[in-house]
Structures are given as structure tokens and as C-alpha cells.
Amino acid sequence: MKKALSAGVSIAALTSVAFAANSLDSNPNYVKLKNFKPNPAVTNEQCLMCHKAQDPGIVADWQHSKHAKAGVGCVQCHVVPKDYPTAFKAHPMQGKNWTVQIAVSSVTCAKCHAKEVTEYLNSGHARAAAQWLASNMGKHGFLMSKLAYNYENMKGKHPSLNGYSAKKMAAGIRKDNSVFASNQNNPRQADLGVANICVQCHGTTVKLDKEGRPDPATWPNDGMASLYPDGGVGNCLACHSRHKFSAAEARQPAACSNCHLGPDHPDKEIFESSVHGHIFDTNEKDYNFETGKQIPGKTLRAATCFTCHMSGINGLKATHNVSLRLKWNLWAPKSFLRTKGAETAGWAFWSHGGKIIPGKTILRGNPKAGNPQGPEAARAR
């Protein structure tokens, strides 16, 4: 069961206005991390002396990964400066200027995968946590939260509701208030409801204790765009699960459909009931996800999510910006054209290194994010 959240971002900050510079270097923690050199030097073998016995599954996943084959291991992802925002100060193995981080964000991934993280921050995926944490105060966000609240088992008061009562959330939909609010005095059960409703897909605000240990109410979670103390947005695990971080796994329809389903965005159901989905479900042997090349008749028989939204098929440039090829935003009850260019929520958090600046930081995001050249350019792709 994924852990539940404790929303740690103020609503005033979430609804203020700002424009972020869309540059990875706008996050001072990214600049610090990419230029950092541990002293004295530390090796992956030193980490494995303990973790082979303590975490054999983690080590086995890493050993079968492309990271391991390329010489990228524990040190490259977990060793950070002692004064880094996610530093674990109580780790038994430390150097003069370094310790380890437990909660690894996209800031670390960007050291090697700058292009991919930049594209991700330009996409609607990057507002997944920030938007739902802020959205209950807006009319549309409140109605979406109400939909989830009524039909996906929260049944009680929770901090993510920003003060809204169970009675208000139930109004107009439910009459069995005593049953509906059955978790009102059971916050743990309400937390688990939130984990299923929101956190496991959207993410949350990741909190650490004074020693740098993650708060179990907020981490681990594999939500698409959790907000980390170092300004990182997400950690790539929503699609590339740890510690194998497989691109082939992320290209599978299942990597998308575990979140893109249900009454508010029934993409899984639409795909599975389509001819494309039927062909995939009955002919999986005809698909090769080990390569990003999409060659009909050779690596696939019919399109998948990856083919249309991310791949380099027919001369297109492969991208991690899943909004780039979208013409319409299909949110009910009204659809609208995507006319506002790149996403803004992720950059707003990233550019200040995770610090929320009242009056300057907007995390609500840009629902009309799409192709910077306009919706017709998106359709042309």
C-alpha cells in the first residue's frame, strides 16, 4: 500500500502568480549536485558490503540494469553534500563533505538525463501533485476532488481537503452521511483512502525529519510529480520503477494505464476497447519494447500510448513531454484547446530550489499546456 500524504504547501503560495525561467540551472541545488565531488572518494562496492545482505532485491534489480552496465550505481544517485536539502545526517557511512540521500528526486536524474527532465518539466505530468494539492480551493478542482471523494473510499476528514467537511463533500451526491463519514474518526483509514485516490498517481509533498529521514506519511511514493525538498519534481519512478529503471518497462501500456483510468480520465478503458488495444492484448509477441524504434511490422503491430505520445515514429523527435502532441484538453464537463505552450507548475517549484515564495510561486499549473507552436502543430505531430 502506498503511503498517504500530509499536504505541506500553503494554499496562499499555491495560488499566487509567477513566471519561472525554464532552465535546469535555475535550481541552485541542481547546480550544486552536478558539480559535486565527494571527499574522500567513495565506491559502489563500499555500499554493497551492507546492502547486498540488507536489500538483495534492490541490488539484484540494479545489477540487471543498464545503469550497472554503464557504471552508474549507488554513489552517483545517493551520495550528496552534507548540507544538501535531502541529506541523511545519521547515515553510518559519511565522508568529510558527503553523506547519502534516501529520497532521490529528478534533480539527481537530471545530472545525466537533462534533456528528458527538461521535457518532463514542460509537460502536464509535472503538475500532477502541485495541482491537486492546490485545486480544492478552485471550483473545478473542488468538483474533481468531490468526485474522487465520493466514489473512491476516503469517507472522512483529511488535510488534503483544505478544511472542507465530509458533509460538504457529500452534499448533492450522498444521503447516507453516517456511512459516508465512517472514517471521520479514523485518520489512518482516511490516509489510506487518500493514498489510493491521489498519492499513488499524483504524488505529494515529500517531508523529512531533522535527520533527513523521509516521513513515512509522504514517502515512499511513486506518484508522477511529488514535490521534494531540493526542488525536484517527481523522480521518474512512476514509469521507470526502481532500481532497474527500465526504458522497456516504461514503454509498455501498463506504465500508463495504472494511472490513466477511471471516470475522470478513462484512457485505459478507451485503449483496451479499441482495435489498437485488442491487437496488443492478443498479440504481445509482436511487440519489442526493448527498442524505442517504432517500426510497424517489425517492432509493433499497432500503436500503443508510447507510439503516439512519446516515440520517434515517422521521423518525429522522441520526447518526454507528453503534452506536446495534444491538441485538446478533454477534462469534463468542457473540453478546450491547448493554447498556452509549456507547463509552468514544475518549473515554478524547480526554479526556487523547492522554496515556496509567497506572491511569486504558482504551482496550480497550466491546464492548457500543449505545443508551444499551438494546437494545430500538436495535431500535425
Side-chain angles (χ1 to χ4, degrees):
M1 174 68 71
K2 302 283 198 303
K3 303 292 184 180
L5 70 122
S6 175
V9 183
S10 76
I11 297 305
L14 285 165
T15 55
S16 57
V17 178
F19 295 94
N22 294 4
S23 164
L24 295 181
D25 285 344
S26 63
N27 184 338
N29 294 315
Y30 169 68
V31 176
K32 173 184 281 191
L33 207 57
K34 72 177 180 178
N35 294 320
F36 179 65
K37 296 187 184 304
N39 179 26
V42 58
T43 66
N44 296 322
E45 286 68 28
Q46 289 173 270
C47 306
L48 294 175
M49 286 190 299
C50 291
H51 287 283
K52 267 189 175 180
Q54 293 179 1
D55 304 294
I58 288 175
V59 173
D61 266 359
W62 170 73
Q63 287 173 329
H64 289 92
S65 73
K66 287 188 175 180
H67 277 169
K69 293 179 176 63
V72 175
C74 324
V75 172
Q76 289 73 25
C77 299
H78 289 278
V79 171
V80 296
K82 284 187 173 181
D83 62 349
Y84 197 70
T86 55
F88 178 30
K89 300 175 180 64
H91 193 272
M93 189 172 74
Q94 300 186 35
K96 291 180 180 179
N97 69 344
W98 63 265
T99 183
V100 303
Q101 60 177 344
I102 300 172
V104 180
S105 81
S106 56
V107 175
T108 294
C109 304
K111 291 193 299 178
C112 295
H113 300 285
K115 173 180 177 291
E116 289 79 5
V117 172
T118 299
E119 291 170 347
Y120 158 77
L121 288 169
N122 284 332
S123 80
H125 274 164
R127 72 168 182 271
Q131 180 175 307
W132 85 262
L133 289 172
S135 66
N136 290 338
M137 300 306 288
K139 181 180 178 181
H140 177 76
F142 171 73
L143 292 174
M144 293 302 291
S145 295
K146 188 170 182 174
L147 173 69
Y149 190 90
N150 278 271
Y151 293 108
E152 298 188 42
N153 196 43
M154 189 190 297
K155 298 183 179 178
K157 187 177 181 181
H158 193 273
S160 71
L161 300 176
N162 298 322
Y164 287 121
S165 67
K167 183 177 180 180
K168 183 173 180 62
M169 296 299 282
I173 298 181
R174 304 288 293 261
K175 295 183 179 179
D176 53 340
N177 287 336
S178 60
V179 175
F180 178 75
S182 59
N183 293 332
Q184 197 74 21
N185 297 315
N186 187 350
R188 174 58 178 162
Q189 192 62 33
D191 277 353
L192 295 177
V194 174
N196 284 325
I197 295 168
C198 313
V199 175
Q200 67 176 344
C201 288
H202 286 264
T204 187
T205 303
V206 175
K207 294 183 177 181
L208 309 178
D209 68 15
K210 63 182 181 180
E211 296 294 338
R213 295 181 184 90
D215 178 351
T218 66
W219 191 95
N221 78 75
D222 296 341
M224 179 55 70
S226 287
L227 305 176
Y228 285 77
D230 62 353
V233 180
N235 61 1
C236 308
L237 296 177
C239 304
H240 307 267
S241 65
R242 61 168 81 86
H243 273 82
K244 199 172 181 182
F245 306 108
S246 166
E249 176 186 301
R251 295 178 188 124
Q252 292 264 6
C256 310
S257 64
N258 65 339
C259 286
H260 288 270
L261 77 172
D264 45 346
H265 36 53
D267 308 303
K268 175 180 186 286
E269 294 85 345
I270 291 169
F271 174 73
E272 289 182 345
S273 61
S274 72
V275 173
H276 286 164
H278 166 73
I279 292 172
F280 174 74
D281 286 341
T282 55
N283 297 271
E284 289 190 41
K285 66 182 185 302
D286 295 331
Y287 292 78
N288 179 7
F289 292 106
E290 294 295 330
T291 175
K293 294 180 180 179
Q294 299 287 279
I295 307 171
K298 292 187 177 181
T299 64
L300 76 161
R301 252 199 81 194
T304 63
C305 320
F306 168 73
T307 308
C308 297
H309 294 284
M310 301 179 71
S311 82
I313 192 169
N314 292 338
L316 291 175
K317 289 184 178 180
T319 183
H320 276 64
N321 182 348
V322 294
S323 302
L324 195 63
R325 302 174 187 177
L326 300 179
K327 180 176 181 179
W328 292 92
N329 188 318
L330 301 178
W331 283 357
K334 182 179 179 181
S335 300
F336 46 82
L337 289 169
R338 293 175 172 268
T339 57
K340 298 296 184 181
E343 180 52 60
T344 57
W347 287 114
F349 189 73
W350 177 282
S351 66
H352 297 299
K355 294 179 180 179
I356 303 298
I357 302 175
K360 291 186 177 181
T361 307
I362 178 170
L363 297 182
R364 278 292 301 276
N366 173 16
K368 292 187 178 182
N371 192 303
Q373 297 177 351
E376 295 305 326
R379 176 54 57 86
R381 286 172 169 261

